[in-house]
């Protein structure tokens, strides 16, 4: 794209400020900026305009969904475990680590998985996850292929770190990295931000694009060749995460559902956690801020909260069902975040409060694209220790405490 065309494109959508510093750039930087403008997906600006006028996306009719409870799982443990181990041994189960996020709330400038959560010892977040996965490998006597999603921002660091740490004892042949896509950030007026005079502020486009990014990375033929029928997707920041858990895998396969979700009983009605429910009759996840006060406090006859089962970003999907929905448009969420940007006078501004909006698709929306989802309850004390913030709720401190309670030395 040449300068004139870029100017036309930007004029049509009120974004000509992106060319404010064009003359001050080197020829190479100019070419790069023109390329970025060419690649800009302007539909996102419409999404932002809709968001400004209507707020979040509209929902269908919501209804509660129960779960396979801890007690029911205990009763069927051997059956589920055997079915899961069998699938793992046959190479039917892969794991997908979502590690493309920016981890802005934690305020750590490296990939979140590189955070050392140890105190006297070093214990990196990635290490916690790999250790947990290795327990399954040992139990099954077979490696689980591990796909790691990074972003342009953290890919190099992540790969180098795994290499440096010798994959924490995992067999490197079973580890595959792929990169997710980026989306531009806008300010409150919908103006696209620059992070450098010649670089549009773009950030990873949410964790919902993981399967299309796997396809773009050419991994689909590999999945087919290897006969990987199930993918267990999980977040980087839950240090107690059980990955490719045979009991969960087995229960989901035997249930006949095309997907499964690990859930925890809410700690209290107000807990800020997305809840697995039904939307227009199919599985869906309602965010805590989308729930009405009635939904939050409503109880079932047995006293349990009606919307009781919170998701912990640990889902199992059947690969062929993912393939079927791969071309479908996913809802785009607008999220407010802190994004450094070039100010009016050309200076770099580093905000201390959220100043910008990013566009994200979310893995949880994939659940609503499935006919059925097995809601599988796990014990939060054993499996849910998220590291979102530096302090307070879901922080390094709270995760350390949970690790200690589970016998992990720090
Ligand atoms: P979060 O929603 O906690 O986002 O991600 P984040 O970017 O890591 O952290 P904050 O909000 O900036 O503090 C949940 C999971 O989804 C992954 C994260 O790496 C984490 O495992 N994720 C998130 C991606 O892989 N890509 C994204 O674009 C966003």
């Amino acid at each position: 794209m040449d300068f004139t065309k870029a100017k036309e494109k930007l004029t049509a959508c009120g974004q000509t400020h992106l060319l404010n510093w064009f003359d001050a750039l080197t020829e190479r930087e100019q070419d790069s900026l023109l390329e970025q403008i060419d690649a800009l997906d302007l539909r996102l600006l419409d999404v932002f305009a809709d968001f400004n006028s209507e707020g979040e996306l509209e929902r269908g009719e919501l209804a509660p969904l129960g779960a396979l409870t801890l007690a029911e799982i205990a009763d069927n443990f051997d059956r589920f475990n055997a079915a899961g181990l069998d699938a793992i041994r046959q190479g039917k189960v892969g794991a997908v680590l979502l590690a493309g996020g920016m981890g802005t709330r934690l305020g750590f400038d490296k990939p979140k998985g590189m955070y050392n959560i140890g105190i006297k010892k070093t214990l990196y977040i990635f290490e916690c996850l790999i250790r947990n996965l290795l327990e399954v490998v040992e139990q099954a006597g077979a490696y689980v292929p591990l796909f790691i999603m990074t972003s342009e921002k953290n890919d190099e660091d992540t790969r180098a770190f795994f290499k440096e740490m010798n994959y924490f004892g995992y067999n490197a042949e079973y580890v595959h990295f792929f990169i997710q896509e980026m989306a531009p950030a806008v300010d409150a007026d919908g103006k696209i931000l620059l992070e450098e005079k010649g670089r549009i502020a773009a950030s990873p486009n949410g964790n919902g694009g993981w399967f299309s990014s796997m396809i773009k990375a050419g991994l689909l033929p590999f999945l087919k060749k290897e006969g990987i029928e199930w993918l267990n997707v999980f977040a980087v920041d839950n240090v107690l995460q059980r990955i490719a858990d045979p009991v969960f895998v087995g229960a989901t396969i035997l249930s006949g559902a095309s997907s499964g979700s690990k859930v925890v009983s809410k700690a209290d009605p107000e807990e800020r956690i997305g809840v697995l429910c039904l939307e227009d009759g199919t599985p869906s996840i309602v965010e805590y801020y989308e729930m009405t006060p009635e939904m939050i406090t409503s109880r079932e006859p047995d006293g349990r909260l009606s919307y009781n089962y919170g998701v912990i970003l640990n889902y199992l999907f059947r690969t062929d069902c993912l393939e079927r929905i791969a071309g479908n448009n996913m809802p785009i969420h607008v999220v407010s975040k802190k994004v450094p940007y070039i100010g009016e006078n050309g200076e770099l501004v580093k905000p201390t409060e959220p100043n910008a909006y990013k566009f994200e698709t979310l893995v949880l929306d994939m659940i609503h694209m499935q006919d059925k989802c097995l809601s599988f309850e796990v014990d939060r004390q054993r499996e849910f220790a998220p590291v979102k913030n530096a302090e307070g709720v879901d922080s390094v401190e709270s995760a350390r405490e949970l690790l200690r309670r589970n016998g992990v030395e720090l």
Side-chain angles (χ1 to χ4, degrees):
M1 178 174 264
D2 62 20
F3 181 83
T4 318
K5 289 243 164 60
K7 188 141 192 196
E8 266 170 34
K9 177 170 179 177
L10 296 177
T11 307
C13 57
Q15 304 284 344
T16 45
H17 62 283
L18 295 179
L19 294 169
N20 274 359
W21 318 99
F22 193 80
D23 292 339
L25 302 177
T26 64
E27 206 170 312
R28 214 165 139 184
E29 289 167 340
Q30 288 182 339
D31 288 345
S32 157
L33 182 58
L34 293 174
E35 252 173 55
Q36 295 167 55
I37 293 169
D38 192 21
L40 264 184
D41 181 359
L42 297 179
R43 284 171 310 169
L44 295 178
L45 299 176
D46 295 334
V47 170
F48 187 70
D50 290 348
F51 167 79
N52 260 352
S53 59
E54 296 160 20
E56 259 292 330
L57 307 155
E58 271 192 30
R59 305 298 302 235
E61 192 175 326
L62 301 174
L65 178 67
L68 195 63
T69 61
L70 289 172
E72 287 164 331
I73 294 165
D75 285 346
N76 289 282
F77 182 91
D78 290 344
R79 203 164 61 88
F80 292 161
N81 195 38
L85 286 174
D86 198 36
I88 292 167
R89 285 188 191 117
Q90 289 180 48
K92 291 184 179 172
V93 185
V96 183
L97 165 55
L98 301 176
M102 300 281 281
T104 43
R105 283 171 287 173
L106 183 61
F108 177 59
D109 62 359
K110 291 261 184 294
K112 212 188 230 185
M114 287 174 65
Y115 189 86
N116 174 16
I117 196 156
I119 300 171
K120 289 190 191 133
K121 301 177 163 190
T122 44
L123 179 63
Y124 300 103
I125 290 181
F126 281 139
E127 189 176 359
C128 293
L129 301 175
I130 298 293
R131 274 191 188 182
N132 293 349
L133 185 53
L134 276 170
E135 282 180 22
V136 176
V137 169
E138 203 162 296
Q139 218 184 332
Y143 270 93
V144 174
L146 173 64
F147 302 91
I148 303 180
M149 181 166 88
T150 61
S151 78
E152 277 171 23
K153 303 239 177 200
N154 68 15
D155 184 68
E156 228 176 273
D157 280 346
T158 307
R159 285 178 199 245
F161 189 62
F162 266 91
K163 209 166 170 194
E164 185 192 333
M165 295 293 148
N166 208 9
Y167 296 80
F168 303 103
Y170 213 72
N171 184 339
E173 277 176 33
Y174 287 85
V175 181
H176 310 268
F177 293 91
F178 65 100
I179 301 183
Q180 71 171 106
E181 273 100 273
M182 307 285 278
V186 299
D187 68 11
D189 299 321
K191 299 279 183 214
I192 296 171
L193 296 170
L194 287 171
E195 65 183 17
E196 286 168 25
K197 289 176 180 168
R199 175 158 291 280
I200 288 172
S203 41
N205 65 349
N207 55 29
W210 64 273
F211 192 67
S212 19
S213 297
M214 278 183 92
I215 294 179
K216 279 211 177 105
L219 285 165
L220 194 55
F222 178 78
L223 294 177
K224 292 193 171 167
K225 182 171 77 67
E226 296 294 311
I228 298 174
E229 293 178 8
W230 293 90
L231 287 172
N232 180 202
V233 191
F234 63 99
V236 71
D237 45 25
N238 173 8
V239 287
L240 286 179
Q241 190 91 259
R242 308 302 308 174
I243 305 144
D245 171 359
V247 187
F248 177 42
V249 173
T252 307
I253 293 176
L254 294 174
S255 76
S258 59
S259 64
S261 170
K262 286 202 164 188
V263 295
V264 292
S265 273
K266 277 174 98 169
D268 65 76
E270 306 288 337
E271 185 178 7
R272 295 171 153 229
I273 189 168
V275 169
L276 189 59
C277 63
L278 291 173
E279 179 178 356
D280 295 333
T282 55
S284 192
I285 289 146
V286 57
E287 291 284 8
Y288 65 89
Y289 52 81
E290 294 174 307
M291 287 174 66
T292 61
E294 292 74 44
M295 287 168 76
I296 290 173
T297 51
S298 159
R299 290 189 184 266
E300 298 297 290
D302 62 5
R304 182 173 52 80
L305 288 170
S306 300
Y307 292 87
N308 187 45
Y309 294 109
V311 289
I312 59 171
L313 218 173
N314 188 322
Y315 305 109
L316 193 63
F317 291 99
R318 236 174 65 187
T319 319
D320 59 342
C321 295
L322 288 170
E323 212 183 323
R324 258 205 302 279
I325 59 164
N328 296 7
N329 278 340
M330 290 185 69
I332 296 173
H333 298 258
V334 182
V335 200
S336 110
K337 294 262 166 141
K338 284 187 272 188
V339 178
Y341 64 99
I342 299 294
E344 272 176 29
N345 303 317
E347 77 291 7
L348 180 68
V349 184
K350 288 193 177 166
T352 49
E353 294 299 321
N355 62 312
Y357 294 89
K358 303 202 308 195
F359 302 94
E360 298 190 335
T361 58
L362 302 178
V363 58
L364 54 82
D365 286 318
M366 284 179 152
I367 290 290
H368 192 44
M369 297 168 147
Q370 308 297 320
D371 297 337
K372 278 208 176 131
C373 176
L374 178 73
S375 175
F376 181 94
E377 188 185 8
V378 298
D379 178 357
R380 61 188 303 145
Q381 299 295 326
R382 290 193 54 236
E383 297 203 22
F384 190 42
V387 182
K388 296 285 182 193
N389 306 300
E391 288 166 3
V393 181
D394 296 343
S395 64
V396 172
E397 258 334 294
S398 58
R400 278 184 180 145
E401 181 51 32
L402 283 159
L403 281 169
R404 275 192 211 102
R405 278 194 227 159
N406 280 278
V408 180
E409 284 184 36
L410 295 171

